[in-house]
Amino acid sequence: CHHPAPLMQAAALAAVVAAALGYLAFGPNPDVVRIGSFVAAGPERREGEEQEGEAWKRVDVKIVSEGNERCHGWFYRPKAPLAEGSALPPVVVMASGLGAQIDFGMEAYAERFAAQGLAVLLFDYRGFGSSDGAIRNLVDPWRHLEDWRRAVAFVRSPEGLGREVDASRLGLWGTSMAGGHALVLASELKSSVKAVVSQTPHLDGSENRRRNMMPLPQGRGLQGAVRISRAALQDMLRALVGMPPAYIPIVGPPGSVSLMPLEAPELKLYFRKHPPDPSKKGGAWENMAPARIALRVGMYSPIEHVKSISAPILFVAAVRDTLCPMDTIRKAQALAQHPNSSLIQVDSTHFGMYYDAHFEAACSAMVSHFREHI
C-alpha cells in the first residue's frame, strides 16, 4: 500500500528546508561586508632579512605549517646573555590575539624580552601578516594551535632555531585569544614548557556565548546575536560547499555586527597599535574576518586545560576588560597547579594594556616571571 501524501509532504518539507538553507548561504545579507578574501600585499618580508636594535638582532624566518603553507616570523637574538656563562639563550614563543598580527604592537614585547637576554620567536598565523594563506584573516583557534605546534617544532629543530637557542628552556606568551592558545599548548607540552604568560586571555567559550546574549551595552542583545549568528552560518555553509568566505568586521562600534564591538575610546586604542601607514601592514590587513568564528569561538574553552599545565603561569588581567573579564581569569588562576603561578591586575581596558604605564607594569612582571623560571 502506497502513501503518496506523506511522501509528498516530506518532499515539500525538504524543499522548504533546502530553500531556507540556500537563502541563508547565498541570499543578500547587509551585515556581510565582503564575499571572497582580499588579496595579500603589503611589505615584502624576505627570509633572512635582518634588523638590529641596541640589545638584539632580528631576522625574518619562515615556518612550514600544514599543507606546506609557511608562517612568517621574527626571530630576536639577544646580544647579551641572560646569565654569565650561558651558551645559548632560553627562548619564548609568542603570537597575537584575535584578528591581529605581529606588527600590531607585538614587537614591543619581543624587544623588551630580548633586551633581557631572552631569545624570542614571534610569528603570524597562516592567513595573517606576511604568512601564506589564500583566505586572509581566517580566525580559527584549532588552526592557530597547529601553527603554534609548528613554531615550537621549528624552535627545537636543528634545521630551524635549534642550534641558536636552548629549547629545553622554553617559555610561551600569548595575549587575548593567543593567551588561551598558550595555555592549551602548555597543557600539551607538559614539563618541556618552563613558564607561561597569558595576558587578558580568552578562556571560556560558554561564558562568551552568555555575554553575547546580554542586552546592550554589556552584550549584543538578542537581535545582535541573531544577526551575527546568521552571518556566521552563512560563512560556514559557503565553506562547506567550497564557496568564497563571507566577511564581517573584526571591530566596530557598539551595536555593530563585528567580532568585537567597542566603545569609541577602546576602538581608538585598538587602532593605535597598528602601523600608521597602511602600506606597512603585513599582508595589507583589512578590518574583516570570515564570519564563521563568531559561532566557533563559543566552542573554544582553554580554561579546561589549565589544571594539566605543570609550568608556572603568570596571568595578566585588565580590571576594566569587557572582552576577557577579570573574574574569569581569576577562576583560571585558581585552577593553576604550580605553586609559583600568579595573577597581576592592571587598572586598564583590554586594549589599554598595550600602552604606556599599563604596558610597563605588565611587561616588568612578565620579564621577572620568565627570568625566574626559564
Side-chain angles (χ1 to χ4, degrees):
C1 182
H2 297 285
H3 300 282
L7 289 173
M8 290 176 65
Q9 289 172 355
L13 179 61
V16 169
V17 170
L21 288 173
Y23 181 79
L24 182 65
F26 315 121
N29 184 348
D31 294 322
V32 170
V33 297
R34 183 186 181 102
I35 294 293
S37 179
F38 60 91
V39 178
E44 186 177 359
R45 291 167 177 160
R46 297 186 184 90
E47 188 173 14
E49 285 188 341
E50 292 189 352
Q51 184 173 320
E52 189 166 349
E54 185 178 338
W56 45 264
K57 287 185 177 180
R58 189 184 85 186
V59 61
D60 288 75
V61 297
K62 298 286 186 174
I63 305 155
V64 177
S65 193
E66 288 288 289
N68 260 351
E69 290 184 316
R70 300 194 303 170
C71 295
H72 168 261
W74 285 328
F75 171 56
Y76 289 81
R77 186 185 297 107
K79 290 183 178 179
L82 182 65
E84 287 297 324
S86 297
L88 295 174
V91 60
V92 177
V93 177
M94 303 175 53
S96 310
L98 188 152
Q101 49 193 51
I102 62 177
D103 51 4
F104 292 2
M106 297 301 99
E107 63 269 44
Y109 295 92
E111 290 169 12
R112 186 66 60 90
F113 298 158
Q116 295 295 319
L118 301 165
V120 176
L121 174 61
L122 173 61
F123 74 95
D124 270 326
Y125 309 117
R126 285 168 289 164
F128 287 88
S130 300
S131 295
D132 296 343
I135 301 179
R136 306 307 297 174
N137 290 7
L138 176 58
V139 181
D140 183 330
W142 297 274
R143 178 180 166 97
H144 293 349
L145 284 169
E146 184 55 44
D147 294 340
W148 272 87
R149 294 182 190 108
R150 296 301 182 99
V152 169
F154 181 76
V155 160
R156 292 170 162 172
S157 167
E159 289 74 35
L161 301 177
R163 293 189 175 93
E164 300 195 53
V165 301
D166 182 353
S168 69
R169 300 161 70 195
L170 172 67
L172 304 178
W173 183 100
T175 185
S176 196
M177 181 168 278
H181 298 341
L183 297 172
V184 175
L185 201 67
S187 74
E188 295 178 7
L189 296 175
K190 305 297 183 185
S191 60
S192 59
V193 175
K194 303 307 179 189
V196 182
V197 171
S198 182
Q199 175 173 275
T200 58
H202 165 82
L203 290 168
D204 190 335
S206 61
E207 176 67 19
N208 181 273
R209 290 196 304 269
R210 187 190 68 79
R211 285 200 314 275
N212 268 340
M213 292 299 295
M214 292 173 66
L216 292 167
Q218 294 89 351
R220 298 181 186 275
L222 179 59
Q223 183 182 16
V226 169
R227 287 170 64 191
I228 198 168
S229 295
R230 187 204 165 189
L233 282 169
Q234 183 172 17
D235 184 44
M236 292 170 77
L237 287 169
R238 294 179 67 86
L240 197 62
V241 297
M243 296 190 70
Y247 279 76
I248 60 174
I250 295 172
V251 295
S256 65
V257 177
S258 59
L259 296 177
M260 294 184 286
L262 303 173
E263 298 285 350
E266 191 74 343
L267 200 55
K268 186 176 180 180
L269 287 171
Y270 176 84
F271 284 108
R272 180 182 160 188
K273 61 189 176 74
H274 291 214
D277 181 354
S279 70
K280 301 297 184 185
K281 293 180 181 181
W285 182 94
E286 295 189 32
N287 179 26
M288 60 177 73
R292 67 197 74 169
I293 186 56
L295 285 180
R296 298 201 75 199
V297 73
M299 308 170 194
Y300 184 54
S301 295
I303 195 169
E304 296 171 357
H305 298 262
V306 172
K307 275 189 175 181
S308 58
I309 297 173
S310 58
I313 309 164
L314 173 64
F315 290 97
V316 181
V319 173
R320 293 177 281 121
D321 195 335
T322 57
L323 294 173
C324 301
M326 187 172 64
D327 287 349
T328 310
I329 300 174
R330 281 202 193 104
K331 292 176 187 175
Q333 197 272 330
L335 295 171
Q337 300 297 297
H338 197 286
N340 290 327
S341 292
S342 58
L343 165 66
I344 67 163
Q345 302 173 28
V346 181
D347 185 16
S348 173
T349 61
H350 188 84
F351 292 108
M353 289 295 299
Y354 297 99
Y355 312 107
D356 308 324
H358 302 140
F359 168 82
E360 294 296 336
C363 216
S364 176
M366 294 170 187
V367 167
S368 297
H369 184 74
F370 281 136
R371 286 180 66 94
E372 180 177 355
H373 298 295
I374 67 171

